[in-house]
């Protein structure tokens, strides 16, 4: 399920740009700043320095398991 996977990048403040959290449904191999951060908040020469500060993590979840647990808890 495409909703059950995402890449989350947490980018701290950089120069005059505030920090931001980016989420995008991409494959695990594409889970990096260049594929997830859109639009890129910095101009071309600063992209590498900006991306090195970002922490990107691939996350998976099972929405079926979450729904079953909610039904059990509400019953």
């Amino acid at each position: 399920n495409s909703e059950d996977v995402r890449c989350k990048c947490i980018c701290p403040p950089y120069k005059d740009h505030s920090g931001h959290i980016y989420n995008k449904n991409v494959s695990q191999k594409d889970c990096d700043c260049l594929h997830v951060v859109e639009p890129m908040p910095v101009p071309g020469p600063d992209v590498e320095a900006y991306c090195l500060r970002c922490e990107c993590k691939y996350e998976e979840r099972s929405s079926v398991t979450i729904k079953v647990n909610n039904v059990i808890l509400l019953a």
Side-chain angles (χ1 to χ4, degrees), residues 19-70:
H20 196 75
I21 297 174
Y22 299 89
N23 292 301
K24 191 171 182 183
N25 292 337
V26 295
S27 66
Q28 190 169 7
K29 70 178 183 68
D30 290 334
C31 185
D32 58 36
C33 174
L34 293 174
H35 289 98
V36 176
V37 176
E38 290 179 356
M40 188 61 69
V42 296
D46 287 333
V47 169
E48 185 177 357
Y50 181 79
C51 282
L52 286 173
R53 298 169 56 87
C54 296
E55 182 181 340
C56 297
K57 291 183 181 177
Y58 184 75
E59 299 175 342
E60 292 182 75
R61 67 178 183 182
S62 172
S63 58
V64 173
T65 302
I66 293 168
K67 289 176 186 175
V68 169
N69 284 338
N70 287 341

Side-chain angles (χ1 to χ4, degrees), residues 1-21:
N1 224 350
S2 63
E3 308 92 41
D4 289 346
V5 296
R6 73 175 178 180
C7 182
K8 180 178 182 180
C9 291
I10 301 172
C11 300
Y14 179 77
K15 294 187 178 179
D16 59 344
H17 300 282
S18 60
H20 196 75
I21 297 174

